Amino acid sequence: MKNKKIRLMCISGVFVALIFIFTAYIHVPVHTGYTHIGDGFIYLAACLLPLEYSIFAGACGALLADLLSGYVLWAPASAIIKAITVLFFSRNSKKIICKRNLMALIPSLFTCTGGYYLYEAIITQNFYSPLFGILGNVIQSTLSSVLFIIMGFYLDKLKIKDQL
């Protein structure tokens, strides 16, 4: 039991690092934030790890990316939005790419887009300006979904879930 927890903590740490790298270092600045593909690794973590570990990986990876890449203002929103995003996915199927997880991409898109819109509207006290950030968030969710599907397909071929 103790070894399993240590193993899950280590895998969570790897996901934190992947999310951080693909968010903080592989991104394109847009509007008041940036577009990245780090969410794809959050989706994968949610499909592979128990809920508490995947919430930690998603929230911590996104939080660190914002804190260490100069977007400190967005860190609280990122941690909350990414923690919520994890809740849509399931690790209970035999494969990563299953109907449930593919359908989870839809509420994930709305959570990301709506969450950042609402956060920016609150901090700027302006509900018009944040509209210009919606396209970047839609692109971010779409590209992350493509990454998730491709990576999930290949990880399913490797039967990675059987090894966890």
Side-chain angles (χ1 to χ4, degrees):
M1 183 69 165
K2 185 177 178 182
N3 287 338
K4 185 175 182 176
K5 283 188 177 188
I6 291 171
R7 186 174 185 195
L8 287 171
M9 285 190 281
C10 291
I11 295 169
S12 297
V14 169
F15 272 109
V16 169
L18 286 168
I19 294 162
F20 170 73
I21 290 166
F22 281 88
T23 301
Y25 292 110
I26 303 173
H27 70 255
V28 177
V30 294
H31 187 54
T32 57
Y34 54 90
T35 297
H36 58 83
I37 56 173
D39 289 1
F41 291 99
I42 294 173
Y43 307 158
L44 285 171
C47 295
L48 294 171
L49 297 170
L51 185 61
E52 60 273 16
Y53 292 94
S54 58
I55 288 174
F56 173 79
C60 189
L63 179 79
L64 286 172
D66 285 345
L67 290 176
L68 300 174
S69 64
Y71 292 89
V72 176
L73 182 63
W74 297 101
S78 292
I80 293 167
I81 291 166
K82 302 317 176 187
I84 292 169
T85 297
V86 166
L87 300 175
F88 301 118
F89 294 87
S90 174
R91 69 182 283 258
N92 295 330
S93 68
K94 292 185 180 225
K95 293 189 172 202
I96 296 167
I97 303 300
C98 63
K99 185 177 179 180
R100 161 83 189 256
N101 290 335
L102 290 174
M103 295 302 292
L105 297 171
I106 297 167
S108 296
L109 180 139
F110 286 108
T111 301
C112 177
T113 304
Y116 283 115
Y117 169 82
L118 185 60
Y119 183 75
E120 185 174 351
I122 291 168
I123 63 172
T124 62
Q125 297 180 353
N126 176 346
F127 286 87
Y128 177 71
S129 178
L131 292 172
F132 295 101
I134 289 176
L135 180 60
N137 287 317
V138 169
I139 291 170
Q140 173 177 309
S141 292
T142 303
L143 293 176
S144 292
S145 295
V146 170
L147 172 72
F148 166 73
I149 292 168
I150 292 169
M151 294 288 295
F153 175 78
Y154 285 108
L155 290 173
D156 282 341
K157 281 202 172 281
L158 293 172
K159 299 182 192 268
I160 197 77
K161 289 192 90 167
D162 294 340
Q163 298 172 24
L164 294 177

